[in-house]
Amino acid sequence: MLAPTRRWGRGRRGGEARGVGVERKRLVVFVSGGGSNFRAIHDAALGGDVNDVVVALAVEERSMRGVMAYRSLCSLSRSLLQRGVSTDELLNGLRELRVDFILLAGYLKLIPVELVQAYPKSILNIHPSLLPAFGGKGYYGLKVHKAVIASGARYSGPTVHFVDEHYDTGRTLAQRVVPVQANDTPEQLATRVLHEEHQVYVEAVTALCEDRIVWREDGIPLIRSQTNPDE
Ligand SMILES: Nc1nc2c(c(=O)[nH]1)N[C@@H](CN(C=O)c1ccc(C(=O)N[C@@H](CCC(=O)O)C(=O)O)cc1)CN2
Ligand SMILES: NCC(=O)N[C@@H]1O[C@H](COP(=O)([O-])[O-])[C@@H](O)[C@H]1O
């Protein structure tokens, strides 16, 4: 099972951690790939840009190379995400850690509906296209960027969305726009989109940890500004 990881130190600016008075949130990040989005969140938490958080890491075996360097900082729980682990075992592990939010970061398996129901409005995912375009089963990694280029789309970019029981159909929380160049390879587009992913995911997770997500009457989630609560 996952074991609590270290609690991040005070913010980069020293003194009180940001979000003073906001209860510390407990996150777990699910990773299947290289782990760069996890590292962006981890580094932001370390630097005090994300409200003090306890970050645990749940990793599929195939990703171990991407996050081995973080072994000492975060618990890697292969048993938690190993093939065949039951949803009940997953839920028990998360409850033992008193996890508040689950972040999917390049995670490639379908989150079961039981887990989605156990964590309402509390699971985020980052997808490398402007959903609802180029999302759903079969759309992951370079496949997404290949499809974007083949479509002739002039713009792409990452989407942070809440997770429901289907792939990529949950409510969109944040997006960034990235121009598609005429001679882009999928790898070149992926690199530019990934750079924006790292920023927009940290912004979204910071807002989530600081209780700055507002749900519009029609069910659309909005990020309330850190500086101007009316924005
Ligand atoms: N319940 C949910 N689970 C997951 C979501 C989600 O929105 N709801 N997002 C995905 C991440 N994702 C896109 O952002 C995504 C990941 C994987 C696939 C996919 O087609 N996977 C293949 C298997 C790939 C593999 O195991 O190598 C498949 O299911 O055939 C589509 C979209 C994470 N989970
Ligand atoms: N549909 C899911 C999907 O394609 N996710 C994408 O996988 C990459 C993982 O990178 P990382 O492991 O370095 O964070 C990221 O580009 C992420 O958007």
Side-chain angles (χ1 to χ4, degrees), residues 18 210 212 223-231:
R18 291 172 59 82
E210 294 181 352
R212 286 190 287 110
I223 294 178
R224 193 175 65 238
S225 163
Q226 264 175 317
T227 52
N228 181 351
D230 296 328
E231 281 180 9

Side-chain angles (χ1 to χ4, degrees), residues 108 125-153 155-159 168 180 185-187 189-190 193 197:
L108 296 181
N125 178 54
I126 187 149
H127 179 79
S129 77
L130 295 173
L131 292 175
F134 308 106
K137 188 176 176 68
Y139 285 98
Y140 56 93
L142 281 179
K143 293 170 185 280
V144 174
H145 304 295
K146 285 174 181 170
V148 167
I149 291 168
S151 77
Y155 294 96
S156 189
T159 300
D168 304 329
V180 181
T185 64
E187 293 77 8
L189 178 57
V193 171
E197 287 181 41

Side-chain angles (χ1 to χ4, degrees), residues 62 104 107-111 116 125-127 136-140 161 163-169:
R62 61 178 141 182
L104 311 185
Y107 185 62
L108 296 181
K109 293 293 182 198
L110 187 70
I111 297 293
V116 174
N125 178 54
I126 187 149
H127 179 79
K137 188 176 176 68
Y139 285 98
Y140 56 93
H161 65 92
V163 167
D164 65 14
E165 63 273 24
H166 306 293
Y167 281 137
D168 304 329
T169 56

